[in-house]
Structure formats: structure tokens, C-alpha cells
Amino acid sequence: MDRTEWLRQRKVLIGGSDAAAIVGLNPWKSNIEVWQEKTGRVVAEDIGHKPYVQYGIKAEEYLISLFMLDHPQYQVTTRPFEILRHPQYNFLGGTLDGEIQETETGRKGVLEIKTTNILQSMQREKWIEKIPDNYYTQVLHYLLVTGWDFAILKAQL
């Protein structure tokens, strides 16, 4: 699947960042905006050309490679533009940054990669000894969709 088809298919499902917005935890989008987009009342802005998005896309490959160096106990698989769907509720889905599997036990997990510039002290506080609520909700959504056992979030701050 290419990016155009991937974007088209995302329009009809609830993804990880949508889940955070639906429960009021996405700082960039409201639950009403998600509803308007999913029902075709408005067209979602394509932010793929924005510099911070491009940086995140390009950095992801390298951060996954660093994760693999730091954690040889996991086998990592990436499938760009593949949408996984919940087996029973196919309107729930997501594209994972990586699938991880413990080599010793075979347990499967989600690898989520984040890059961000912390420009304000308030942004820093969201990362102190926890995962920001919107990212935590996204990871929980992916665990629901996959039914897998665990998730690891790797962030470059």
C-alpha cells in the first residue's frame, strides 16, 4: 500500500491518535473534529509536508535501529503503511511504528516511536516519569487492536 491509499483507508477507521482525541486527550484535535472528519463533514488537514512531521518520519528508521541495538532481546518488524484492524471491530485500527517480539518467550508487543522538541517547561512536565496522556492512549489503542501483551515507547526529546 502506498501513502495515498493508506491515507484513504485511515479515513474510515479510528486510529491511535483518533482514540486520544475521542477521549479528550489529544492537544491538537478535538473529538468533534474527529467526528466531522470520519463522517465526511470536513476534510482532515494533510500535515505530512510539515517539517516536524517530516523529521519524525525520517528519524523513525534510525530510532528503531537504535532500539534494536539497545534491546537485542527483541526481534523488530516494521511494515510501513500497513493498517492492522481489530479482529471483531474492524473500524478500530492503526499503523504501528514497529512490532516487537521477545526472542526468549515469543510474547508480542507494540513499538511506538516519538520525536519532539520541548520548547516550554509545561511540555517537559508531561514527560517527567510518565508518558504524555495522548501517547499513552494511543499505545493502549494499539494494544486493544492487536491483542498483544506489551508496548514500549521510545522517544527522542
Side-chain angles (χ1 to χ4, degrees), residues 32-61:
I32 294 188
E33 289 170 300
V34 171
W35 173 77
Q36 289 173 328
E37 291 169 3
K38 300 301 178 182
T39 58
R41 288 167 170 76
V42 298
V43 176
E45 177 188 6
D46 182 358
I47 60 171
H49 65 282
K50 295 198 175 197
Y52 64 90
V53 174
Q54 284 297 309
Y55 179 89
I57 290 168
K58 291 175 183 172
E60 188 174 288
E61 171 187 351

PDB file of all heavy atoms in Angstrom, residues 32-61:
ATOM      1  N   ILE A  32     -14.814  16.327  18.454  1.00  0.00           N
ATOM      2  CA  ILE A  32     -15.762  16.815  17.448  1.00  0.00           C
ATOM      3  C   ILE A  32     -15.086  16.889  16.082  1.00  0.00           C
ATOM      4  O   ILE A  32     -15.691  16.513  15.075  1.00  0.00           O
ATOM      5  CB  ILE A  32     -16.361  18.174  17.870  1.00  0.00           C
ATOM      6  CG1 ILE A  32     -17.195  17.929  19.109  1.00  0.00           C
ATOM      7  CG2 ILE A  32     -17.126  18.827  16.732  1.00  0.00           C
ATOM      8  CD1 ILE A  32     -18.021  19.022  19.623  1.00  0.00           C
ATOM      9  N   GLU A  33     -13.844  17.330  16.070  1.00  0.00           N
ATOM     10  CA  GLU A  33     -13.116  17.366  14.794  1.00  0.00           C
ATOM     11  C   GLU A  33     -12.946  15.966  14.217  1.00  0.00           C
ATOM     12  O   GLU A  33     -13.093  15.764  13.002  1.00  0.00           O
ATOM     13  CB  GLU A  33     -11.755  18.035  14.976  1.00  0.00           C
ATOM     14  CG  GLU A  33     -11.839  19.526  15.217  1.00  0.00           C
ATOM     15  CD  GLU A  33     -10.518  20.125  15.628  1.00  0.00           C
ATOM     16  OE1 GLU A  33      -9.961  19.710  16.671  1.00  0.00           O
ATOM     17  OE2 GLU A  33     -10.038  21.014  14.897  1.00  0.00           O
ATOM     18  N   VAL A  34     -12.669  14.981  15.066  1.00  0.00           N
ATOM     19  CA  VAL A  34     -12.554  13.591  14.596  1.00  0.00           C
ATOM     20  C   VAL A  34     -13.886  13.136  14.014  1.00  0.00           C
ATOM     21  O   VAL A  34     -13.938  12.555  12.926  1.00  0.00           O
ATOM     22  CB  VAL A  34     -12.101  12.642  15.729  1.00  0.00           C
ATOM     23  CG1 VAL A  34     -12.197  11.186  15.291  1.00  0.00           C
ATOM     24  CG2 VAL A  34     -10.691  12.970  16.171  1.00  0.00           C
ATOM     25  N   TRP A  35     -14.967  13.398  14.719  1.00  0.00           N
ATOM     26  CA  TRP A  35     -16.296  13.016  14.230  1.00  0.00           C
ATOM     27  C   TRP A  35     -16.585  13.673  12.882  1.00  0.00           C
ATOM     28  O   TRP A  35     -17.074  13.014  11.953  1.00  0.00           O
ATOM     29  CB  TRP A  35     -17.357  13.405  15.275  1.00  0.00           C
ATOM     30  CG  TRP A  35     -18.755  13.203  14.796  1.00  0.00           C
ATOM     31  CD1 TRP A  35     -19.440  12.023  14.704  1.00  0.00           C
ATOM     32  CD2 TRP A  35     -19.651  14.220  14.322  1.00  0.00           C
ATOM     33  NE1 TRP A  35     -20.699  12.237  14.208  1.00  0.00           N
ATOM     34  CE2 TRP A  35     -20.848  13.582  13.959  1.00  0.00           C
ATOM     35  CE3 TRP A  35     -19.537  15.597  14.167  1.00  0.00           C
ATOM     36  CZ2 TRP A  35     -21.937  14.278  13.453  1.00  0.00           C
ATOM     37  CZ3 TRP A  35     -20.628  16.288  13.667  1.00  0.00           C
ATOM     38  CH2 TRP A  35     -21.818  15.627  13.318  1.00  0.00           C
ATOM     39  N   GLN A  36     -16.269  14.960  12.749  1.00  0.00           N
ATOM     40  CA  GLN A  36     -16.510  15.663  11.486  1.00  0.00           C
ATOM     41  C   GLN A  36     -15.702  15.044  10.349  1.00  0.00           C
ATOM     42  O   GLN A  36     -16.207  14.887   9.233  1.00  0.00           O
ATOM     43  CB  GLN A  36     -16.161  17.147  11.630  1.00  0.00           C
ATOM     44  CG  GLN A  36     -17.138  17.908  12.493  1.00  0.00           C
ATOM     45  CD  GLN A  36     -16.688  19.338  12.770  1.00  0.00           C
ATOM     46  OE1 GLN A  36     -15.488  19.619  12.863  1.00  0.00           O
ATOM     47  NE2 GLN A  36     -17.651  20.241  12.897  1.00  0.00           N
ATOM     48  N   GLU A  37     -14.470  14.676  10.626  1.00  0.00           N
ATOM     49  CA  GLU A  37     -13.622  14.061   9.600  1.00  0.00           C
ATOM     50  C   GLU A  37     -14.130  12.669   9.226  1.00  0.00           C
ATOM     51  O   GLU A  37     -14.230  12.335   8.039  1.00  0.00           O
ATOM     52  CB  GLU A  37     -12.182  13.974  10.092  1.00  0.00           C
ATOM     53  CG  GLU A  37     -11.508  15.315  10.221  1.00  0.00           C
ATOM     54  CD  GLU A  37     -10.174  15.254  10.945  1.00  0.00           C
ATOM     55  OE1 GLU A  37      -9.714  14.141  11.305  1.00  0.00           O
ATOM     56  OE2 GLU A  37      -9.577  16.322  11.156  1.00  0.00           O
ATOM     57  N   LYS A  38     -14.450  11.859  10.209  1.00  0.00           N
ATOM     58  CA  LYS A  38     -14.855  10.473   9.950  1.00  0.00           C
ATOM     59  C   LYS A  38     -16.223  10.383   9.275  1.00  0.00           C
ATOM     60  O   LYS A  38     -16.507   9.412   8.580  1.00  0.00           O
ATOM     61  CB  LYS A  38     -14.866   9.648  11.245  1.00  0.00           C
ATOM     62  CG  LYS A  38     -13.514   9.573  11.941  1.00  0.00           C
ATOM     63  CD  LYS A  38     -12.436   8.972  11.074  1.00  0.00           C
ATOM     64  CE  LYS A  38     -11.109   8.965  11.799  1.00  0.00           C
ATOM     65  NZ  LYS A  38     -10.034   8.430  10.985  1.00  0.00           N
ATOM     66  N   THR A  39     -17.058  11.397   9.461  1.00  0.00           N
ATOM     67  CA  THR A  39     -18.377  11.399   8.827  1.00  0.00           C
ATOM     68  C   THR A  39     -18.388  12.190   7.525  1.00  0.00           C
ATOM     69  O   THR A  39     -19.449  12.378   6.928  1.00  0.00           O
ATOM     70  CB  THR A  39     -19.448  11.959   9.792  1.00  0.00           C
ATOM     71  OG1 THR A  39     -19.079  13.285  10.191  1.00  0.00           O
ATOM     72  CG2 THR A  39     -19.605  11.058  11.005  1.00  0.00           C
ATOM     73  N   GLY A  40     -17.227  12.674   7.090  1.00  0.00           N
ATOM     74  CA  GLY A  40     -17.122  13.365   5.820  1.00  0.00           C
ATOM     75  C   GLY A  40     -17.606  14.803   5.816  1.00  0.00           C
ATOM     76  O   GLY A  40     -17.768  15.417   4.764  1.00  0.00           O
ATOM     77  N   ARG A  41     -17.836  15.375   6.971  1.00  0.00           N
ATOM     78  CA  ARG A  41     -18.288  16.763   7.053  1.00  0.00           C
ATOM     79  C   ARG A  41     -17.156  17.764   6.785  1.00  0.00           C
ATOM     80  O   ARG A  41     -17.405  18.856   6.308  1.00  0.00           O
ATOM     81  CB  ARG A  41     -18.935  17.037   8.407  1.00  0.00           C
ATOM     82  CG  ARG A  41     -20.296  16.355   8.534  1.00  0.00           C
ATOM     83  CD  ARG A  41     -20.795  16.364   9.970  1.00  0.00           C
ATOM     84  NE  ARG A  41     -22.178  15.921  10.079  1.00  0.00           N
ATOM     85  CZ  ARG A  41     -22.588  14.670  10.004  1.00  0.00           C
ATOM     86  NH1 ARG A  41     -21.715  13.707   9.800  1.00  0.00           N
ATOM     87  NH2 ARG A  41     -23.858  14.366  10.126  1.00  0.00           N
ATOM     88  N   VAL A  42     -15.921  17.370   7.115  1.00  0.00           N
ATOM     89  CA  VAL A  42     -14.749  18.183   6.803  1.00  0.00           C
ATOM     90  C   VAL A  42     -13.638  17.242   6.329  1.00  0.00           C
ATOM     91  O   VAL A  42     -13.656  16.047   6.627  1.00  0.00           O
ATOM     92  CB  VAL A  42     -14.242  19.006   8.019  1.00  0.00           C
ATOM     93  CG1 VAL A  42     -15.285  19.997   8.495  1.00  0.00           C
ATOM     94  CG2 VAL A  42     -13.796  18.115   9.150  1.00  0.00           C
ATOM     95  N   VAL A  43     -12.692  17.808   5.615  1.00  0.00           N
ATOM     96  CA  VAL A  43     -11.535  17.043   5.162  1.00  0.00           C
ATOM     97  C   VAL A  43     -10.397  17.302   6.143  1.00  0.00           C
ATOM     98  O   VAL A  43     -10.087  18.453   6.454  1.00  0.00           O
ATOM     99  CB  VAL A  43     -11.126  17.464   3.733  1.00  0.00           C
ATOM    100  CG1 VAL A  43      -9.854  16.741   3.301  1.00  0.00           C
ATOM    101  CG2 VAL A  43     -12.256  17.199   2.764  1.00  0.00           C
ATOM    102  N   ALA A  44      -9.801  16.230   6.616  1.00  0.00           N
ATOM    103  CA  ALA A  44      -8.678  16.364   7.555  1.00  0.00           C
ATOM    104  C   ALA A  44      -7.506  17.039   6.860  1.00  0.00           C
ATOM    105  O   ALA A  44      -7.206  16.762   5.698  1.00  0.00           O
ATOM    106  CB  ALA A  44      -8.260  14.991   8.075  1.00  0.00           C
ATOM    107  N   GLU A  45      -6.842  17.911   7.592  1.00  0.00           N
ATOM    108  CA  GLU A  45      -5.660  18.571   7.056  1.00  0.00           C
ATOM    109  C   GLU A  45      -4.552  17.538   6.873  1.00  0.00           C
ATOM    110  O   GLU A  45      -4.285  16.725   7.760  1.00  0.00           O
ATOM    111  CB  GLU A  45      -5.195  19.663   8.024  1.00  0.00           C
ATOM    112  CG  GLU A  45      -3.933  20.350   7.586  1.00  0.00           C
ATOM    113  CD  GLU A  45      -3.358  21.304   8.618  1.00  0.00           C
ATOM    114  OE1 GLU A  45      -3.876  21.375   9.749  1.00  0.00           O
ATOM    115  OE2 GLU A  45      -2.366  21.970   8.292  1.00  0.00           O
ATOM    116  N   ASP A  46      -3.906  17.564   5.728  1.00  0.00           N
ATOM    117  CA  ASP A  46      -2.753  16.698   5.494  1.00  0.00           C
ATOM    118  C   ASP A  46      -1.527  17.424   6.040  1.00  0.00           C
ATOM    119  O   ASP A  46      -1.094  18.438   5.486  1.00  0.00           O
ATOM    120  CB  ASP A  46      -2.581  16.413   4.005  1.00  0.00           C
ATOM    121  CG  ASP A  46      -1.423  15.469   3.714  1.00  0.00           C
ATOM    122  OD1 ASP A  46      -0.706  15.056   4.659  1.00  0.00           O
ATOM    123  OD2 ASP A  46      -1.226  15.141   2.537  1.00  0.00           O
ATOM    124  N   ILE A  47      -0.994  16.920   7.151  1.00  0.00           N
ATOM    125  CA  ILE A  47       0.154  17.567   7.787  1.00  0.00           C
ATOM    126  C   ILE A  47       1.470  16.889   7.400  1.00  0.00           C
ATOM    127  O   ILE A  47       2.517  17.221   7.929  1.00  0.00           O
ATOM    128  CB  ILE A  47      -0.004  17.602   9.323  1.00  0.00           C
ATOM    129  CG1 ILE A  47      -0.115  16.189   9.895  1.00  0.00           C
ATOM    130  CG2 ILE A  47      -1.195  18.458   9.723  1.00  0.00           C
ATOM    131  CD1 ILE A  47      -0.054  16.127  11.404  1.00  0.00           C
ATOM    132  N   GLY A  48       1.417  15.964   6.447  1.00  0.00           N
ATOM    133  CA  GLY A  48       2.595  15.201   6.056  1.00  0.00           C
ATOM    134  C   GLY A  48       3.735  16.029   5.519  1.00  0.00           C
ATOM    135  O   GLY A  48       4.881  15.597   5.537  1.00  0.00           O
ATOM    136  N   HIS A  49       3.477  17.213   5.042  1.00  0.00           N
ATOM    137  CA  HIS A  49       4.528  18.074   4.476  1.00  0.00           C
ATOM    138  C   HIS A  49       5.183  18.977   5.524  1.00  0.00           C
ATOM    139  O   HIS A  49       6.187  19.610   5.247  1.00  0.00           O
ATOM    140  CB  HIS A  49       3.923  18.953   3.381  1.00  0.00           C
ATOM    141  CG  HIS A  49       2.908  19.928   3.911  1.00  0.00           C
ATOM    142  ND1 HIS A  49       1.629  19.537   4.230  1.00  0.00           N
ATOM    143  CD2 HIS A  49       3.007  21.239   4.204  1.00  0.00           C
ATOM    144  CE1 HIS A  49       0.969  20.593   4.696  1.00  0.00           C
ATOM    145  NE2 HIS A  49       1.781  21.636   4.696  1.00  0.00           N
ATOM    146  N   LYS A  50       4.628  19.023   6.734  1.00  0.00           N
ATOM    147  CA  LYS A  50       5.157  19.933   7.759  1.00  0.00           C
ATOM    148  C   LYS A  50       6.530  19.439   8.236  1.00  0.00           C
ATOM    149  O   LYS A  50       6.767  18.238   8.344  1.00  0.00           O
ATOM    150  CB  LYS A  50       4.187  20.038   8.922  1.00  0.00           C
ATOM    151  CG  LYS A  50       2.876  20.677   8.476  1.00  0.00           C
ATOM    152  CD  LYS A  50       2.078  21.192   9.613  1.00  0.00           C
ATOM    153  CE  LYS A  50       0.855  21.907   9.059  1.00  0.00           C
ATOM    154  NZ  LYS A  50       0.217  22.762  10.009  1.00  0.00           N
ATOM    155  N   PRO A  51       7.445  20.385   8.509  1.00  0.00           N
ATOM    156  CA  PRO A  51       8.818  19.996   8.866  1.00  0.00           C
ATOM    157  C   PRO A  51       8.908  19.046  10.066  1.00  0.00           C
ATOM    158  O   PRO A  51       9.695  18.097  10.036  1.00  0.00           O
ATOM    159  CB  PRO A  51       9.498  21.333   9.174  1.00  0.00           C
ATOM    160  CG  PRO A  51       8.717  22.350   8.414  1.00  0.00           C
ATOM    161  CD  PRO A  51       7.302  21.840   8.395  1.00  0.00           C
ATOM    162  N   TYR A  52       8.122  19.272  11.119  1.00  0.00           N
ATOM    163  CA  TYR A  52       8.224  18.384  12.278  1.00  0.00           C
ATOM    164  C   TYR A  52       7.727  16.977  11.965  1.00  0.00           C
ATOM    165  O   TYR A  52       8.232  15.998  12.512  1.00  0.00           O
ATOM    166  CB  TYR A  52       7.498  18.980  13.496  1.00  0.00           C
ATOM    167  CG  TYR A  52       6.003  19.137  13.346  1.00  0.00           C
ATOM    168  CD1 TYR A  52       5.136  18.109  13.717  1.00  0.00           C
ATOM    169  CD2 TYR A  52       5.446  20.307  12.864  1.00  0.00           C
ATOM    170  CE1 TYR A  52       3.763  18.246  13.586  1.00  0.00           C
ATOM    171  CE2 TYR A  52       4.077  20.462  12.733  1.00  0.00           C
ATOM    172  CZ  TYR A  52       3.236  19.420  13.091  1.00  0.00           C
ATOM    173  OH  TYR A  52       1.876  19.557  12.956  1.00  0.00           O
ATOM    174  N   VAL A  53       6.757  16.858  11.062  1.00  0.00           N
ATOM    175  CA  VAL A  53       6.273  15.533  10.652  1.00  0.00           C
ATOM    176  C   VAL A  53       7.332  14.848   9.797  1.00  0.00           C
ATOM    177  O   VAL A  53       7.629  13.660   9.986  1.00  0.00           O
ATOM    178  CB  VAL A  53       4.923  15.636   9.913  1.00  0.00           C
ATOM    179  CG1 VAL A  53       4.497  14.286   9.355  1.00  0.00           C
ATOM    180  CG2 VAL A  53       3.847  16.202  10.838  1.00  0.00           C
ATOM    181  N   GLN A  54       7.911  15.578   8.866  1.00  0.00           N
ATOM    182  CA  GLN A  54       8.961  15.018   8.026  1.00  0.00           C
ATOM    183  C   GLN A  54      10.151  14.556   8.868  1.00  0.00           C
ATOM    184  O   GLN A  54      10.712  13.492   8.621  1.00  0.00           O
ATOM    185  CB  GLN A  54       9.419  16.052   6.982  1.00  0.00           C
ATOM    186  CG  GLN A  54       8.451  16.218   5.843  1.00  0.00           C
ATOM    187  CD  GLN A  54       8.291  14.935   5.044  1.00  0.00           C
ATOM    188  OE1 GLN A  54       9.268  14.318   4.616  1.00  0.00           O
ATOM    189  NE2 GLN A  54       7.060  14.513   4.859  1.00  0.00           N
ATOM    190  N   TYR A  55      10.518  15.363   9.854  1.00  0.00           N
ATOM    191  CA  TYR A  55      11.616  14.978  10.747  1.00  0.00           C
ATOM    192  C   TYR A  55      11.275  13.659  11.447  1.00  0.00           C
ATOM    193  O   TYR A  55      12.103  12.743  11.507  1.00  0.00           O
ATOM    194  CB  TYR A  55      11.877  16.077  11.780  1.00  0.00           C
ATOM    195  CG  TYR A  55      12.990  15.718  12.736  1.00  0.00           C
ATOM    196  CD1 TYR A  55      14.300  16.027  12.431  1.00  0.00           C
ATOM    197  CD2 TYR A  55      12.724  15.056  13.935  1.00  0.00           C
ATOM    198  CE1 TYR A  55      15.335  15.694  13.297  1.00  0.00           C
ATOM    199  CE2 TYR A  55      13.745  14.710  14.797  1.00  0.00           C
ATOM    200  CZ  TYR A  55      15.046  15.023  14.485  1.00  0.00           C
ATOM    201  OH  TYR A  55      16.052  14.670  15.344  1.00  0.00           O
ATOM    202  N   GLY A  56      10.069  13.567  11.995  1.00  0.00           N
ATOM    203  CA  GLY A  56       9.664  12.350  12.697  1.00  0.00           C
ATOM    204  C   GLY A  56       9.683  11.134  11.803  1.00  0.00           C
ATOM    205  O   GLY A  56      10.139  10.052  12.204  1.00  0.00           O
ATOM    206  N   ILE A  57       9.224  11.294  10.572  1.00  0.00           N
ATOM    207  CA  ILE A  57       9.212  10.175   9.609  1.00  0.00           C
ATOM    208  C   ILE A  57      10.640   9.723   9.310  1.00  0.00           C
ATOM    209  O   ILE A  57      10.944   8.526   9.321  1.00  0.00           O
ATOM    210  CB  ILE A  57       8.476  10.585   8.318  1.00  0.00           C
ATOM    211  CG1 ILE A  57       6.972  10.735   8.597  1.00  0.00           C
ATOM    212  CG2 ILE A  57       8.724   9.577   7.202  1.00  0.00           C
ATOM    213  CD1 ILE A  57       6.189  11.408   7.478  1.00  0.00           C
ATOM    214  N   LYS A  58      11.521  10.683   9.068  1.00  0.00           N
ATOM    215  CA  LYS A  58      12.911  10.340   8.723  1.00  0.00           C
ATOM    216  C   LYS A  58      13.674   9.792   9.922  1.00  0.00           C
ATOM    217  O   LYS A  58      14.505   8.889   9.782  1.00  0.00           O
ATOM    218  CB  LYS A  58      13.616  11.557   8.137  1.00  0.00           C
ATOM    219  CG  LYS A  58      13.072  11.934   6.772  1.00  0.00           C
ATOM    220  CD  LYS A  58      13.687  13.208   6.250  1.00  0.00           C
ATOM    221  CE  LYS A  58      13.059  13.577   4.915  1.00  0.00           C
ATOM    222  NZ  LYS A  58      13.475  14.884   4.435  1.00  0.00           N
ATOM    223  N   ALA A  59      13.410  10.313  11.111  1.00  0.00           N
ATOM    224  CA  ALA A  59      14.128   9.875  12.307  1.00  0.00           C
ATOM    225  C   ALA A  59      13.684   8.487  12.769  1.00  0.00           C
ATOM    226  O   ALA A  59      14.453   7.769  13.412  1.00  0.00           O
ATOM    227  CB  ALA A  59      13.915  10.883  13.443  1.00  0.00           C
ATOM    228  N   GLU A  60      12.449   8.106  12.433  1.00  0.00           N
ATOM    229  CA  GLU A  60      11.892   6.841  12.923  1.00  0.00           C
ATOM    230  C   GLU A  60      12.778   5.642  12.589  1.00  0.00           C
ATOM    231  O   GLU A  60      13.045   4.793  13.444  1.00  0.00           O
ATOM    232  CB  GLU A  60      10.495   6.655  12.326  1.00  0.00           C
ATOM    233  CG  GLU A  60       9.727   5.499  12.892  1.00  0.00           C
ATOM    234  CD  GLU A  60       8.314   5.486  12.348  1.00  0.00           C
ATOM    235  OE1 GLU A  60       7.515   6.347  12.747  1.00  0.00           O
ATOM    236  OE2 GLU A  60       8.020   4.596  11.520  1.00  0.00           O
ATOM    237  N   GLU A  61      13.248   5.574  11.374  1.00  0.00           N
ATOM    238  CA  GLU A  61      14.106   4.462  10.943  1.00  0.00           C
ATOM    239  C   GLU A  61      15.349   4.350  11.834  1.00  0.00           C
ATOM    240  O   GLU A  61      15.735   3.264  12.260  1.00  0.00           O
ATOM    241  CB  GLU A  61      14.505   4.681   9.484  1.00  0.00           C
ATOM    242  CG  GLU A  61      15.547   3.725   8.973  1.00  0.00           C
ATOM    243  CD  GLU A  61      16.035   4.100   7.573  1.00  0.00           C
ATOM    244  OE1 GLU A  61      15.470   4.988   6.921  1.00  0.00           O
ATOM    245  OE2 GLU A  61      17.026   3.470   7.145  1.00  0.00           O
TER     246      GLU A  61
END
